[in-house]
Every structure is written in C-alpha cells, then in structure tokens.
Amino acid sequence: MMFSSNDSLNAFHPSRIYVEILLNLGLDKAIPNVHTQIDMLTIDNQPVPITLNHEEYDNSYVCSPYTAYISYAQDELPLIQSKTQRRLFWGAIRLADKLLKWAKINQTLSINNWLVSTNLPPNWSNQSLQKLTADLIQRYPHHSFNIRSLNPYNHPQLIKNLKAQGWLMIPARQVYLFDNKDRQWWQRSHTKRDQKLLQKTHLQHLKPEEHQQADFTEIEHCFTQLFIEKHSSFNPQFTAAYLYQMHLKGLMRFHSFRDPKSQRIIASIGLFTQQEIITTPMVGYDTHLPKNLGLYRLLMAVLLKETYDSEKMMNLSSGAGNFKSARGGLPTIEYTAFYINHLSCKRKLIMLCFAKLLNKFAPKVFAENQI
C-alpha cells in the first residue's frame, strides 16, 4: 500500500519507475540478498522509495543498519593498518553486536532508500521533515527512521535541520567527491595517465546505447567477482535481470569493455545520477585477468571523463582511498541520520551511546585508513 502518494502524481518519476522494476521482478530475482518491504511515500510533492525492516540480521547493508555497522565492519577490519586500532574495533564490534540487537536497530524504516551504496536525498524543507516525522511516528510507533548517505559538503542545511529536530548523526564511512566547480582534479598526473590508457587500450569500449540484453549476464559476473567475492557478500547482489531493467528504463548508464578476442565483457561500470550528482553503484571487472590490463583504471577513466564532460559533481563512494585521493577526490565523512525519540528508554540509550562512541572515534579511523 502506498503511503501519502497519488497515482497520477509524477507517473514517470524515477522513484516510481525504480519501485516498479523491483515489484515486477521481485526482490529475489533483482537483489536476492536484500530482504525488506519496499514502498513509496511523498515528501515535498515528490515520490521517494522507502524500505521497512523488522529484524533480518542476515541481510545486505543497504537496508540493514546492523549489517552496516557490525557484519560489514567485520569484513573491513583487515583494512585498518594499526594492530591496536584493529583490536579495539574488534572488541567494540563484539560488544556492539549484542547491544544493537537489544536496541532493535534493524526495526527501522529507511527513507529514500534505492538499495544502492549511495542514496543522495533532496534538500527537503524543514516543515516537510517535521510533518514526515510526525506522520511516521503515528504509522510506525515502534520503528526508528533513518536516512543514509548524508555528508556535510552536499547536505549542510539538511543535516542542520535534522539535528535541530532531534535526529542522531552516526558516521558510516568516508566517501570521495569530485566537484566541477574546481577542476584541478582533471589536471592531476594520475588522471592524465588514466585518460591516455583509455585512448590506447585495445579493448572495445561499449557506450550506454550499445549494450544488448545478453551483455548483462557478463556484467553481473564482473560485479559479483569484484564486489561480492573480493570485497563482501553483504554488498547488494545485483542480478543481470535487475541491471538490464535499470539500463532499459534509463536509470543507470553503463560503460563496458569487451575483449576483442573472447568477445566477453570483462569490465563494466553503471552511472546513476541523483540530485545532479553522479554515483557509481555498479562497478565490476574480471579479477582473474592480469593487472596490467588496468581494468579498474579504465573504468575510472571513463567515469572521470563523463564527470568532466557533464559538469556535474561526482560521489565516488568509499574504498580505494589512495587511488581516489591521487586523482583529486575530496574526502568527506558520510552519516546516517536516525530518529529514535519516540522509542523506549532502553533503545534510545543504546543508540545515543553508540552514536557518541562512533562520532568520537570513527572519523579519525576512516581518515587514517582511507576507508
């Protein structure tokens, strides 16, 4: 059932198209490791996807705060260079594991959740946020509410308004921004070398309009090798059917590289523009091929050229910090906002302590380890 929405309103809005893709395919055929209820609500007369969860601890981090802060964090512990920091975070994760379950952290409604790594929200008005919060408390009195992917560079006023209304800001990760107001990153030596590699590669570059449905089986395989097998099984596991529908409906623009000998797609990237900011929820390549092919560099070269040509900002998400910084990426801490004021004292106390702890230590660890 749609909440506070009008079927005649914004019939072709990207949010509606996206939710229809998921409902038509079914989550098990679209993103099989995501377990949630998806719906829409309307904020400032614009439809927004939402997800509703109750517990579901064995879930992708895109709709499970427990997975984001516990399960995924455990997978990323080896990235922390300091042994002392690793031990401290390992102990903190073990303690937080039980406490966050007691706080029912996964009993939550996620606002503007596109089930991708980066969900950039509009700058909703203060009045709309007040009404939204009051309406959600009435409808879901035992759920927390959360908004992911907030950063002080893109959302200073939204963060200020949320804090003023009692929302908690909990650090989630460090992301890297490329802003076209200052194009010095385009003149970086690493960026120039990547562009030269793009010009001389023997691989066939497939532009968005050149993709066929059959290509998406290989694109899925590339994504799975990099993001699921190499990094974490808690990343959303996009299927070929889902990726093809995102391409077909124009929500995601794919650039791929085909090996002219085998005719296989061996690298691919999907660009998803939100609020006039380019994001990259889908990156993948054949991890078994020689590193001297420079597949990741080729994908980033395409992305940076698309960003430069479009004159839009780009949010390059987290990870590979050294690589992104060398190309001029501006690091900034990303937060998830939680509203918990209507919940029980026990749940509020645990979440308040958790937020205080992460705000004290996490930004420094993210910055030092570029994660």
Side-chain angles (χ1 to χ4, degrees), residues 86-102:
R86 274 204 308 274
R87 290 195 196 100
L88 287 172
F89 265 77
W90 180 79
I93 287 169
R94 290 195 67 185
L95 177 62
D97 185 341
K98 291 185 175 65
L99 289 173
L100 292 181
K101 284 182 177 177
W102 286 344

Side-chain angles (χ1 to χ4, degrees), residues 10-20 46-47 49 114 251 272:
N10 298 304
F12 300 104
H13 192 278
S15 295
R16 290 189 179 278
I17 296 169
Y18 178 71
V19 170
E20 285 176 5
Q46 294 293 318
W114 295 75
L251 295 183
F272 179 39

Side-chain angles (χ1 to χ4, degrees), residues 331-347:
T332 186
I333 301 299
E334 184 181 274
Y335 295 84
T336 298
F338 281 88
Y339 191 83
I340 58 169
N341 289 346
H342 58 299
L343 302 179
S344 69
C345 291
K346 181 182 80 171
R347 292 176 69 185

Side-chain angles (χ1 to χ4, degrees), residues 235-272:
N235 282 310
Q237 296 174 8
F238 302 135
T239 65
Y242 167 82
L243 295 172
Y244 174 64
Q245 286 298 317
M246 293 291 281
H247 159 75
L248 192 65
K249 301 296 185 182
L251 295 183
M252 208 177 286
R253 289 170 50 81
F254 289 85
H255 289 264
S256 302
F257 289 91
R258 192 189 302 279
D259 183 345
K261 289 184 179 180
S262 67
Q263 288 298 299
R264 287 193 307 115
I265 287 178
I266 57 175
S268 186
I269 187 168
L271 279 57
F272 179 39

Side-chain angles (χ1 to χ4, degrees), residues 36-243:
T36 190
Q37 295 170 250
I38 189 158
D39 206 333
M40 280 193 295
L41 55 77
T42 299
I43 310 173
D44 284 339
N45 295 319
Q46 294 293 318
V48 170
I50 61 171
T51 58
L52 184 70
N53 282 87
H54 306 281
E55 191 171 275
E56 297 93 21
Y57 294 117
D58 183 19
N59 207 347
S60 172
Y61 79 90
V62 294
C63 60
S64 166
Y66 172 85
T67 303
Y69 287 109
I70 301 298
S71 308
Y72 201 100
Q74 287 178 319
D75 283 355
E76 294 209 315
L77 277 177
L79 299 178
I80 297 177
Q81 298 170 12
S82 164
K83 289 184 179 178
T84 302
Q85 283 186 346
R86 274 204 308 274
R87 290 195 196 100
L88 287 172
F89 265 77
W90 180 79
I93 287 169
R94 290 195 67 185
L95 177 62
D97 185 341
K98 291 185 175 65
L99 289 173
L100 292 181
K101 284 182 177 177
W102 286 344
K104 300 181 180 178
I105 191 172
N106 270 12
Q107 191 167 310
T108 191
L109 183 143
S110 302
I111 303 162
N112 190 52
N113 192 359
W114 295 75
L115 300 174
V116 292
S117 54
T118 305
N119 301 286
L120 300 177
N123 283 305
W124 297 308
S125 68
N126 200 34
Q127 294 78 8
S128 292
L129 286 172
Q130 288 177 331
K131 183 179 186 306
L132 170 69
T133 306
D135 288 345
L136 290 177
I137 290 171
Q138 288 266 328
R139 185 171 286 258
Y140 304 102
H142 305 297
H143 279 69
S144 66
F145 316 125
N146 75 79
I147 305 169
R148 290 173 46 223
S149 305
L150 299 166
N151 72 72
Y153 193 93
N154 295 125
H155 313 105
Q157 189 60 49
L158 182 56
I159 289 174
K160 182 179 178 181
N161 290 343
L162 288 166
K163 283 183 175 179
Q165 293 183 32
W167 289 66
L168 287 177
M169 293 292 153
I170 304 184
R173 58 182 187 163
Q174 181 168 270
V175 298
Y176 296 82
L177 306 178
F178 290 76
D179 194 339
N180 264 313
K181 292 177 183 176
D182 177 1
R183 294 184 159 200
Q184 290 184 0
W185 54 267
W186 187 246
Q187 302 304 324
R188 290 287 187 103
S189 59
H190 285 84
T191 306
K192 289 181 177 180
R193 285 199 292 270
D194 293 344
Q195 294 304 313
K196 287 180 181 177
L197 177 66
L198 181 60
Q199 291 167 10
K200 70 180 185 180
T201 183
H202 71 284
L203 301 175
Q204 179 189 357
H205 175 196
L206 290 183
K207 295 181 179 179
E209 64 274 10
E210 296 174 318
H211 288 77
Q212 304 297 320
Q213 184 171 2
D215 296 329
F216 286 87
T217 299
E218 291 171 351
I219 291 173
E220 177 196 341
H221 187 59
C222 289
F223 175 77
T224 299
Q225 279 191 300
L226 180 62
F227 263 74
I228 307 303
E229 295 174 3
K230 185 175 180 180
H231 288 294
S232 175
S233 61
F234 297 112
N235 282 310
Q237 296 174 8
F238 302 135
T239 65
Y242 167 82
L243 295 172

